[in-house]
Amino acid sequence: MAPEVIVPMDFGRRLLSSPIHNTLKLNTSKGGMVYASSVILSLNSPVIDHMTTTLHMTSVDMLEFSETAVKFFVDSAYSGTADELNRDIFRDVNKIANIFKMSWLVEKCFEYFNKVADSVQTASYPDLVYLFEEAGFVLEHLKSKHFAQIAIKVIEKVGFKQQFIEKYLERADRLSKHMLNMVIELAGFETNCVVKAIAYQLKEQTSVQGTSNILVSHRYLLDHCDLNHCKNSDRVSFDLLFDMLGYLADKVDDMKWTFQLYRKSSNNSRRKMQSESVDTICLANSPQEMRTEPVLAKGVDSVLPNLFHNLNMELSFDELLVWISQSELIKNLLMAIEAVWTWSWYRRLYTKKVYSVNHSKLTSELLELREIRRWKFLPSDFMKHHVCLSDQLYFDREPFCLTPQDTISSVIIDCIETCSEPLTLLSKEAKLTFHFQPPSISQCNLPGECGFILKTVPDETALWKLALCTDDEDYDNESVHFHNEFMAEDMHIYFHRNAYFYPLSWLNWLFSSDAAQQRIDWESKFRIHDAHSRFKVLYDLVVPSECSLVRDPDSKSRFREIVSKLRWDTSLDEAK
């Protein structure tokens, strides 16, 4: 290891010209070479220290970086300063500093970026593009959001968000997925900025050229924006977008995608239609009678998405919060709360590690995440549940729950059967029955109650699951009948006993083949032997679709049936 030396330190630039001291060769792009002292670089970089001291390397390939940037990196290590940092080399220098863990230079790069951001006081598009694209590069390659937050703040400060997005998307076909994600991040809740830009681009191109292409980048942006926000805030742009998409959709795949997009925008939840249902509609070979509810492919059991995911119990509390903020496994607010619950109790019962939940930090972090990731608030009925994170610590539900006066966006549905041993039930074949009439079904004359059935999918070779039954045969001789509005991705199951809440999302550590005793311990420790214990489902309500689906062998006439109900002008499509 290199001796303890406090860097940055001025070792003297004069040493740069010494062939005796500079024994480490750095190979740069375009065949460039920079020589430096392995000792001085090792004192600044633990990575180079390892390469030279442990691996005995005498040269390092830095082929993705320019010779100018590498020379600056070496000069900074020798002089202990980064005063000459400029826009031309910032990207390379910042990445080099991060890769080689030259921490003080990483800080200097961040300071420089802040300095550039602070200097932008007017809506200068070149300056804003520089900040935006450098931030996007850092987000893609260094996985840091801090630069993006600064760039977005500057664009918003100068009041240039709409104009910036419109101008930036003029080259949408050349943007990477990461930069498209940056556009979505910049738009935030104002998705009308993206919709307006795309809609008017399509309109202008069509008026000039007589036609236009729906770019892959346009599809990506629209697929990942919450169009429901635009529909409510800028109906003119929303309608223009679908006017143009309807006019330009001259292939079956384009029709399917456009219809899916509109259907998704008509729902409060940003869910995707199941591909089986769309294929059933578009590929039908014989006319069928009109249905007034979404058509799902029968015989497909949809697995509930929130059960039995991996959770690293070795994380510290702060690391757990970071993981929650980044994990794509977490689909809603309740799953985030459940992750903390499982982590806390696991450490309390099965390890000797100190466990500590900072409740005030947990609340503030989850509230911020809820807004960023657009998770729904929990229904007011969830206030009736006690969420106990340890023997003495109860989770404060109030900041995360709607009041009874708020518009309902989700409901809690009780299983009609009680259960005293939930984990035991999940390990065998069983059915759970729920009664609930979807809001879109105003009147139902079918026998029995409206509702759905969940069935266990036990498997000794894999994690056990719960699936939504969609096959008619599953409802034979049952007290409920099924409506196609119900979709597994809108369901979140948990367990409830005597006002206490018990999650299931992250309990995969109890579902390995050798964890039978732990499952018994889990059930006994929480004394879930109670006549009122039952499974519950948190169910996201969906706004009824504004159109009905028509099965027809002719895809063109079928699409006209659909779009006419969406108030599109299909006369433009006649020529196609």
Side-chain angles (χ1 to χ4, degrees), residues 206-226:
T206 302
S207 63
V208 173
Q209 303 171 9
T211 186
S212 181
N213 295 321
I214 304 175
L215 301 175
V216 173
S217 53
H218 287 164
R219 284 179 178 248
Y220 183 86
L221 287 168
L222 295 173
D223 280 335
H224 291 81
C225 281
D226 188 348

Side-chain angles (χ1 to χ4, degrees), residues 91-161:
R91 177 178 293 188
D92 276 0
V93 172
N94 186 41
K95 188 173 181 180
I96 293 171
N98 277 273
I99 289 175
F100 291 97
K101 298 183 178 179
M102 193 163 162
S103 56
W104 72 266
L105 185 56
V106 171
E107 293 178 6
K108 290 294 183 182
C109 289
F110 187 66
E111 290 175 6
Y112 173 80
F113 189 80
N114 267 303
K115 181 179 178 181
V116 174
D118 289 340
S119 69
V120 179
Q121 299 296 323
T122 60
S124 167
Y125 182 71
D127 288 336
L128 295 176
V129 167
Y130 174 79
L131 291 174
F132 192 72
E133 295 199 330
E134 292 304 320
F137 181 86
V138 170
L139 182 62
E140 178 179 358
H141 295 278
L142 303 179
K143 311 306 179 186
S144 172
K145 295 182 178 180
H146 299 303
F147 290 76
Q149 292 168 348
I150 293 170
I152 290 172
K153 185 176 180 180
V154 172
I155 294 172
E156 291 177 337
K157 180 183 71 174
V158 298
F160 202 63
K161 180 189 288 190

